Amino acid sequence: MSCRWGTELWDQFDNLEKHTHWGIEFVERYTKFVKERSEIEISYAKQIRNLSKKYQPKKNSREEDEYKYTSCRAFLMTLNELNDYAGQHEVIAENLTTHIICELTRYIQELKAERKSHFHDGRRAQQHIENSWKQLESSKRRFERDCKEADRAQQYFDKIDADINVTKADVEKARQQAQLKHQVAEDSKNEYLTYLQKFNKEQNEHYYSLIPHIFQKIQEMEEKRIEKVGESMKTYAEVNRKVLPIVSKCLDGMTNAAASIEPTMVVESFKSGFEPPGDVEVEDYSLSMRRTVSESSYLNSRGEGKPSRSNSRGKLWPFKRNKLMSLLASPRQPPPPPPTSPSPGAVPNGPQSPQQPKEPLSHRLNEFMTSKHKMQCLRSLTRGGSGPEDCSHLPPEQRRKKLQAKINDINKELQKEVDQRDALTKMKDVYVKNPHMGDPDSVDPRLEEIGQDIDKLELDSRKYEATFYDMIFGFAHTISMSLSWSLTVCGLYAVSPDGSYTEDHSTEHHLKSRSTDFDDDFDDEDPLPTIGTCKSLYPFEGQNEGTISMAEGELLYVIEEDKGDGWTRVRRNEDEEGYVPTSYIKVFFDTNAKGAMTYI
């Protein structure tokens, strides 16, 4: 039911003035509340950002290394999500300031001006009706006074006229005075009636026209104020509701980060790559005779070991043949760089793969057994090094990962510099063809600087790669020595009195018979599965052991991807496989296939 203030509240001018003043104070109080809420959001977001920044890993510190663990990475993801969460509180503060505080502040100023105008008109109308009422009262009092004076003059005239002792002149004078007073009273009456009529008209216009119109405007102003407050409260809720999806995503990100934590990183972080030390052999210095293996003892050991052949083979070959042989037969030096000439076939023999020195197995075994520092490396997890630059103070597995990471970082920087050099070279060519666009010589200093940076990065890359390859193939050499030691224990070698190892030719005919058994065991192993295909970009002459030749444009199967040494293992058919330089081929990996694992 709608009410009109002009008709229902025609006599409540003062109360309406107080009520509208209270309404403006309420809007100001609500605006202050939103402003304080905005300040709280800004302060909270700042504290959250400072907290996230405080626990971020410091650069070049020990904390940065800790983030290789999934729990630490999850904590870092949580900090990043928390930083985004703080940003949403800043968005809340910004929207509150823009859509509510600024709007209400401007509206309050307009509301005060409008209220002042309406009540100024109301006071002026009220003052006018009050002045009209005062005029009416004044004319009324004057009419009353004149009537009383006319009545007294009439009574005096009647008294004089009845007195016989009064002269005729006095009677006439009294009569004229009475008539004058009656005339004045009549004029006062007419004036009073005029003011009365005027007041009634103005009063009717005041209470039925002016005041309803003014009060109607005040009512509209007050209703608009209430609606504005309601809209502001809705906006307040919407500002908070709009950030909920993003806040929910931040919380989901924290949940996903927690779900990504895996307890398996400890092995990858601290795995040294060493084998546990074996039993210490008895060193009997009382025996100076040369130890030999008699035919009867060899035959007895062969007869006793026959039933448990699988067990002895498991100790003698702790890894599969294809993995071991791929490790020992893979090239030990960096692969040759791709040809820079347009037709690589113009080179007579193509890039040459590195030669592998072939040494007698007995010589390697002697070197391995007489080298004390190598034995110490296998018996302890502590590694001495020339310095932290080559990471030689780390265990083999950790050192390999560290060197690989450094090589990858250098290659990334090198690629950036090469791309920048190519871009500047193209710019220079454009300047040469279009001199009005720029001076070609202005690019030369930058090109020279980039060239120096590239040379430095390439030098660092070769240095770390050399250290990396030396470590990898040095470890493969250790494996081959361990293999030689196993063969010696089985009776393939004899010990000389000075402690060196020599081949025992007396057992050579037994070796031939047992080698067949070993080959049969290795032939049972399944070949490595293919993990993709590759297309050769240049011809390659694989003349050395462990490599395979290929023609330009030939398609091959990839069975083992590049492990960081620059060589990829491929297969042409079931019986022909080997290594080729990774830079000579373009690889297409099969996403559904699992790559082959190598023993390193």
Side-chain angles (χ1 to χ4, degrees):
M1 180 178 180
S2 61
C3 299
R4 297 181 62 84
W5 289 12
T7 56
E8 302 291 338
L9 305 176
W10 60 272
D11 57 344
Q12 300 297 322
F13 184 85
D14 294 337
N15 289 332
L16 290 179
E17 186 176 11
K18 293 178 181 179
H19 175 75
T20 52
H21 179 70
W22 170 86
I24 293 177
E25 289 182 345
F26 175 77
V27 177
E28 290 177 341
R29 188 165 72 253
Y30 180 75
T31 304
K32 185 179 180 181
F33 157 75
V34 178
K35 185 177 181 180
E36 291 182 358
R37 165 69 191 282
S38 177
E39 293 174 353
I40 291 174
E41 292 291 340
I42 294 176
S43 176
Y44 179 68
K46 183 178 180 180
Q47 293 178 7
I48 290 294
R49 287 191 182 276
N50 291 337
L51 180 64
S52 176
K53 183 178 180 181
K54 178 181 178 182
Y55 286 92
Q56 289 283 346
K58 306 296 187 298
K59 291 185 177 180
N60 301 326
S61 66
R62 188 178 64 85
E63 295 181 0
E64 192 173 8
D65 295 335
E66 295 177 355
Y67 281 84
K68 60 188 175 182
Y69 300 108
T70 55
S71 57
C72 294
R73 289 201 298 266
F75 179 57
L76 181 60
M77 294 172 61
T78 301
L79 293 179
N80 294 334
E81 295 293 346
L82 190 64
N83 198 42
D84 296 339
Y85 178 78
Q88 297 310 307
H89 286 276
E90 292 176 348
V91 171
I92 291 177
E94 182 180 357
N95 290 335
L96 290 177
T97 302
T98 304
H99 298 98
I100 297 180
I101 298 176
C102 295
E103 288 291 331
L104 288 183
T105 302
R106 179 182 56 82
Y107 176 70
I108 287 173
Q109 300 299 327
E110 297 176 356
L111 184 63
K112 287 181 177 180
E114 184 179 1
R115 175 182 175 276
K116 182 179 180 181
S117 175
H118 293 332
F119 280 97
H120 177 72
D121 295 340
R123 290 193 192 92
R124 186 171 57 186
Q126 194 74 19
Q127 187 68 29
H128 179 74
I129 197 65
E130 288 177 358
N131 292 335
S132 180
W133 171 256
K134 288 179 181 180
Q135 289 179 355
L136 178 61
E137 287 294 322
S138 177
S139 64
K140 179 181 177 181
R141 286 193 299 271
R142 189 166 50 251
F143 172 59
E144 182 180 6
R145 185 180 67 249
D146 292 343
C147 287
K148 290 180 179 179
E149 291 178 356
D151 188 38
R152 283 195 300 270
Q154 185 63 36
Q155 291 177 1
Y156 179 73
F157 171 72
D158 292 340
K159 182 180 178 181
I160 292 293
D161 189 35
D163 191 359
I164 57 175
N165 295 321
V166 179
T167 62
K168 187 176 179 181
D170 293 336
V171 173
E172 184 64 23
K173 183 178 179 180
R175 185 180 65 78
Q176 292 179 356
Q177 188 67 27
Q179 289 179 352
L180 180 62
K181 294 295 181 181
H182 279 288
Q183 185 62 37
V184 171
E186 188 65 27
D187 293 340
S188 297
K189 179 181 179 181
N190 292 334
E191 182 181 0
Y192 168 69
L193 292 175
T194 301
Y195 278 111
L196 179 62
Q197 184 179 4
K198 179 182 177 182
F199 175 77
N200 289 333
K201 181 179 178 182
E202 291 179 352
Q203 179 177 253
N204 184 72
E205 183 179 1
H206 176 79
Y207 288 110
Y208 291 97
S209 179
L210 292 178
I211 291 299
H213 180 68
I214 294 173
F215 280 16
Q216 182 64 30
K217 291 183 178 180
I218 296 175
Q219 180 182 1
E220 293 175 356
M221 179 193 70
E222 183 66 12
E223 291 176 352
K224 184 178 179 181
R225 178 192 68 82
I226 296 173
E227 292 177 357
K228 191 70 174 180
V229 172
E231 292 176 358
S232 300
M233 291 182 178
K234 291 180 180 178
T235 304
Y236 179 86
E238 289 298 326
V239 165
N240 289 271
R241 183 178 289 110
K242 285 182 179 179
V243 301
L244 290 181
I246 302 180
V247 170
S248 179
K249 289 183 179 179
C250 294
L251 298 178
D252 291 341
M254 296 180 187
T255 303
N256 295 334
S260 66
I261 297 177
E262 297 178 356
T264 59
M265 286 299 297
V266 178
V267 175
E268 298 180 5
S269 300
F270 296 104
K271 181 181 178 181
S272 65
F274 295 130
E275 293 292 337
D279 296 337
V280 179
E281 298 292 338
V282 177
E283 298 182 7
D284 192 353
Y285 296 100
S286 63
L287 298 179
S288 59
M289 298 176 60
R290 177 181 175 182
R291 296 178 56 190
T292 57
V293 181
S294 64
E295 182 176 357
S296 59
S297 62
Y298 176 72
L299 294 176
N300 292 335
S301 62
R302 183 176 180 181
E304 295 174 356
K306 196 97 175 183
S308 59
R309 180 181 177 184
S310 58
N311 295 334
S312 63
R313 185 172 64 249
K315 294 180 180 179
L316 191 59
W317 304 102
F319 25 69
K320 295 183 179 180
R321 181 191 180 191
N322 52 8
K323 295 180 180 179
L324 175 62
M325 294 306 164
S326 65
L327 179 62
L328 298 178
S330 61
R332 296 191 182 185
Q333 296 181 4
T340 56
S341 61
S343 63
V347 182
N349 296 325
Q352 297 296 326
S353 59
Q355 298 289 337
Q356 299 184 28
K358 297 184 179 180
E359 301 177 5
L361 192 58
S362 60
H363 177 70
R364 292 192 180 182
L365 183 60
N366 292 333
E367 180 185 358
F368 176 74
M369 295 304 296
T370 57
S371 179
K372 294 184 179 180
H373 70 276
K374 291 184 179 180
M375 295 298 295
Q376 291 294 331
C377 290
L378 290 177
R379 295 184 182 275
S380 175
L381 296 180
T382 59
R383 304 278 289 183
S386 59
E389 185 178 1
D390 60 353
C391 305
S392 57
H393 62 290
L394 298 175
E397 186 70 17
Q398 304 304 319
R399 186 186 182 194
R400 181 186 67 81
K401 293 181 180 179
K402 201 71 175 179
L403 289 174
Q404 185 66 58
K406 285 187 177 182
I407 293 173
N408 292 338
D409 294 340
I410 292 176
N411 289 336
K412 289 180 181 178
E413 293 296 329
L414 182 61
Q415 185 62 39
K416 290 181 182 179
E417 295 294 337
V418 171
D419 293 342
Q420 190 173 1
R421 182 189 63 184
D422 296 341
L424 289 176
T425 303
K426 292 181 180 179
M427 182 184 297
K428 183 178 180 180
D429 294 340
V430 173
Y431 287 168
V432 170
K433 296 179 182 179
N434 303 281
H436 64 279
M437 299 182 65
D439 184 12
D441 296 336
S442 62
V443 187
D444 293 337
R446 181 56 181 163
L447 283 174
E448 183 178 357
E449 181 182 353
I450 293 177
Q452 295 176 357
D453 295 339
I454 291 176
D455 294 340
K456 183 177 181 301
L457 290 173
E458 288 178 347
L459 181 62
D460 293 341
S461 178
R462 287 194 294 268
K463 178 180 66 175
Y464 283 113
E465 285 178 355
T467 305
F468 179 80
Y469 296 138
D470 180 69
M471 184 202 69
I472 294 297
F473 297 116
F475 187 64
H477 182 71
T478 303
I479 294 175
S480 65
M481 295 301 101
S482 300
L483 178 59
S484 302
W485 172 251
S486 300
L487 295 176
T488 304
V489 174
C490 293
L492 302 182
Y493 293 90
V495 184
S496 61
D498 59 353
S500 62
Y501 286 76
T502 58
E503 297 182 8
D504 190 354
H505 299 283
S506 62
T507 58
E508 184 176 359
H509 63 283
H510 298 289
L511 177 61
K512 293 181 179 180
S513 60
R514 298 188 65 179
S515 61
T516 307
D517 298 334
F518 283 114
D519 293 339
D520 294 340
D521 294 336
F522 283 126
D523 292 340
D524 294 339
E525 299 294 340
D526 295 332
L528 291 176
T530 60
I531 60 174
T533 59
C534 67
K535 180 180 180 181
S536 62
L537 303 177
Y538 312 101
F540 176 68
E541 295 291 339
Q543 298 178 353
N544 297 319
E545 184 179 0
T547 61
I548 184 174
S549 302
M550 63 180 180
E552 182 178 358
E554 183 178 0
L555 294 178
L556 302 172
Y557 294 101
V558 179
I559 59 176
E560 185 178 312
E561 60 180 329
D562 187 356
K563 299 301 182 181
D565 55 358
W567 295 90
T568 301
R569 192 175 180 183
V570 299
R571 177 187 297 145
R572 179 175 287 110
N573 48 51
E574 294 183 356
D575 300 329
E576 190 175 1
E577 62 183 40
Y579 288 90
V580 295
T582 305
S583 58
Y584 277 57
I585 60 175
K586 184 176 183 182
V587 181
F588 305 93
F589 286 110
D590 186 1
T591 57
N592 297 326
K594 296 184 178 179
M597 299 297 294
T598 58
Y599 181 87
I600 294 178

